Structure formats: structure tokens, C-alpha cells
Amino acid sequence: MTRARQLAPTVALWLVLLTMPMWIGAIGGYTELASRVVVMALAAMALNFLLGYTGTLSFGHAAYFGLGAYGAGMTLKYLVPSTALGMVVGVVAGTLAAALLGALIVRLRGVYFAMVTIAFGQVFYFISFRWNSVTGGDDGLTGWQRQPLAWGPLRLDIQAHDSAFYYLALACFAVSVAAMALLVASPFGRTLQAIRENERRARFVGIAVERHIWLSFVISCAFVSLAGTLYALLNNFTDPRALRWDMSGNFVIMAVLGGMRSFWGPLVGAAVFVVLQDYVSSHTENWMSIVGLIFVLVVLFFPRGILGLIQRRAS
């Protein structure tokens, strides 16, 4: 009975996600908004794998999100009009960059780690901003669009049907979340949490702290790169703002807003953030002030986030 009560919220969550295109229009939303929620939730949960479970704050995850987006878009525009190949190239580009740069900064801690991740992220931002002939500069990368997916006789037209793209994004989200859940529950995940709680003690018992933080950083960036490819495919467009430091700040806000010590917290935070952004921005240009006020109130009065508040009320 206890296990059934524990599984019920997760089952309800997946039912909501699986049926979202069917009911979101009834509450004033649209399928593209649902896709954006899922994509940004994946990015926030990817960041939370590093922040919530390893205790390492990165303000440069937008760099790998943007590399995933540009990798997908540039593959479709310049190489082969293949959605699947574009996604693979985007994830590989983001993951390789994270592996190389992570090795350089893995010994830094606290604000020093966060600031260096911003610095590297801004390097990628200015490259995309200045390299007009390839990236389109400030105008963005245009002149391409996502292509239908085909597996033998099966064909999924993700360009013509928004709901088809939503379920592609949801499938990527489901696989990524399952992988993260397995990693968190594994000895590797327990080791990351031990580092988060007391790095000195973890080092004393023989844990290779730097190696584990590097692996956590690379895994986190791989998932956020996948989110970046989906973000570019959703919009059939990407621009340097996908790499800018404030996009990283949005991921942090989503994770903290929903509850960064909770596995599903970033999903809740991303849903609240994206829906608020869509609704409030249609009424005022100062939408970020309202989101910022809500964020401050949550941090001050509900440090475990919105999901933590819901769980406390339900118990």
C-alpha cells in the first residue's frame, strides 16, 4: 500500500504529460507551448543532475544547450537534411566541449567554478554572434527546418504536425529521465551525493572527487545538449541568445523554483516558468519582474521549492 502511494504521483505525472496535447487547448494553451515545457524541463533536470545531486553550480550550461541547437541546425542546413543526424551531431558537439572544458575547471569550487563556466559560455556566445557567414550572427540560423523521421515503412511527420513533435520531445525526455534516475540510484549517484554533503570526508574515504565531478558535469551537459537540439527543432531556428548566460540563469531558476533537491522539482519549475513567461509576456514586457518576484518569494518562504511545498501539504 505504501509503495502504491509512492508510485501514484509519478503515474499521474506521466498521464498528464502523455495527454497534454489533448487538453492544453481547453485551458488556453497550445501544443507548441507543451513542447516547450518538456524541452525546458529536460534542460532544467539536466542542470539539476549537477547542481542538486553534486552540489556544483554552473552558470554556463547555456553554452552546451546552444551548441546542441547550432549542431542540429547547421547539420540540417549545411550537411544532410536529417533530423536524427542533426540531433546526434548536436549532442556530440555539446558533450565533447563539456568534456574538454570540464577537465580544465574541475578543480575549481563555489563561485569560482560558476564564474569560469560563465566565461567559457560567453566565448561561445560571441563566436556565434560574430561568425555571421556561418551562424547568421544576431539574425540567427535560418533557412532550414526539421525533417520527418522514418524507420523503414514507419514515418513520423514532425514538421507538419505539432503533436508529433511533442511526442518526439516527450520520448527523448522519458529516455533521458530514466537514464538520470538510474544514475542517481546507482553507486555513482550515491557517491555524487556524498561529495555534495561533505567533499572533505568523501575525499578522505578514497573517492576520486575531481573525476566524479567531471563525469557529473559531462553527463549533465550531454542531456542539456539534447534539450538544445530539441529547442532548435521546435523553433526551426536558433540564435546566439540560446548560448547567452541569462539562458543558464533561467535553467537555475527553474531548478530552484521547482525544488532542486527533488528529482521532479525542475520539471515543475520549468512548467511554471514557461507558462508564466508565455502568459505574462503577452500582457506586459516586464514579465521577468513578475517571475523574479515569484522566485524570490519561493526562495524566502519555500526553500524546498514548489514541489517540496506540495509534498509537505500532501503528507
Side-chain angles (χ1 to χ4, degrees):
M1 187 68 179
T2 304
R3 183 164 179 79
R5 286 188 63 185
Q6 292 175 342
L7 287 174
T10 303
V11 172
L13 174 66
W14 282 109
L15 284 174
V16 168
L17 291 173
L18 285 168
T19 60
M20 197 184 299
M22 303 172 192
W23 54 261
I24 194 169
I27 60 172
Y30 46 97
T31 305
E32 185 181 340
L33 178 64
S35 299
R36 204 182 316 153
V37 168
V38 171
V39 170
M40 300 310 283
L42 175 56
M45 292 186 74
L47 171 72
N48 194 56
F49 186 84
L50 179 68
L51 174 61
Y53 290 98
T54 313
T56 303
L57 173 61
S58 168
F59 272 116
H61 263 47
Y64 313 102
F65 182 82
L67 284 172
Y70 273 101
M74 291 170 71
T75 299
L76 284 160
K77 181 171 184 177
Y78 297 121
L79 298 179
V80 181
S82 168
T83 297
L85 181 61
M87 293 176 68
V88 170
V89 170
V91 172
V92 170
T95 305
L96 284 177
L100 293 172
L101 298 179
L104 300 176
I105 64 177
V106 72
R107 294 185 180 278
L108 300 175
R109 296 292 181 271
V111 68
Y112 302 104
F113 185 94
M115 295 303 293
V116 172
T117 57
I118 290 177
F120 278 123
Q122 290 301 98
V123 169
F124 288 113
Y125 167 74
F126 282 111
I127 290 173
S128 66
F129 188 85
R130 294 291 185 183
W131 202 2
N132 294 50
S133 60
V134 176
T135 65
D138 193 39
D139 294 329
L141 187 67
T142 58
W144 61 277
Q145 61 182 9
R146 59 183 185 259
Q147 300 297 312
L149 293 171
W151 297 277
L154 299 176
R155 179 181 171 86
L156 183 66
D157 193 348
I158 58 173
Q159 175 59 25
H161 305 290
D162 288 341
S163 58
F165 181 81
Y166 171 81
Y167 285 110
L168 170 66
L170 185 61
C172 293
F173 176 81
V175 172
S176 301
V177 165
M180 281 189 270
L182 289 173
L183 287 169
V184 167
S186 70
F188 173 72
R190 301 297 183 190
T191 303
L192 295 181
Q193 293 172 61
I195 294 170
R196 179 194 68 193
E197 295 301 324
N198 195 317
E199 181 181 327
R200 182 177 296 179
R201 188 173 296 174
R203 195 184 300 276
F204 180 77
V205 297
I207 294 172
V209 172
E210 279 75 22
R211 185 174 65 187
H212 280 80
I213 292 177
W214 178 79
L215 285 169
S216 176
F217 181 77
V218 173
I219 292 167
S220 174
C221 292
F223 288 124
V224 87
S225 299
L226 175 59
T229 66
L230 293 170
Y231 182 77
L233 294 171
L234 170 64
N235 300 308
N236 287 318
F237 171 81
T238 190
D239 67 357
R241 283 179 284 275
L243 297 123
R244 207 166 59 183
W245 67 270
D246 54 342
M247 180 67 83
S248 298
N250 289 344
F251 299 154
V252 175
I253 289 173
M254 292 173 199
V256 176
L257 193 63
M260 65 179 184
R261 291 294 179 95
S262 170
F263 185 76
W264 293 110
L267 169 59
V268 175
V272 171
F273 184 94
V274 171
V275 171
L276 270 177
Q277 179 187 22
D278 183 77
Y279 178 77
V280 179
S281 64
S282 64
H283 293 82
T284 175
E285 294 181 357
N286 299 319
W287 65 271
M288 198 62 189
S289 299
I290 297 174
V291 174
L293 177 61
I294 294 172
F295 176 71
V296 170
L297 292 174
V298 168
V299 170
L300 287 176
F301 298 106
F302 312 111
R304 294 178 61 189
I306 295 172
L307 186 57
L309 173 64
I310 294 171
Q311 291 173 337
R312 189 173 66 181
R313 294 274 181 169
S315 61

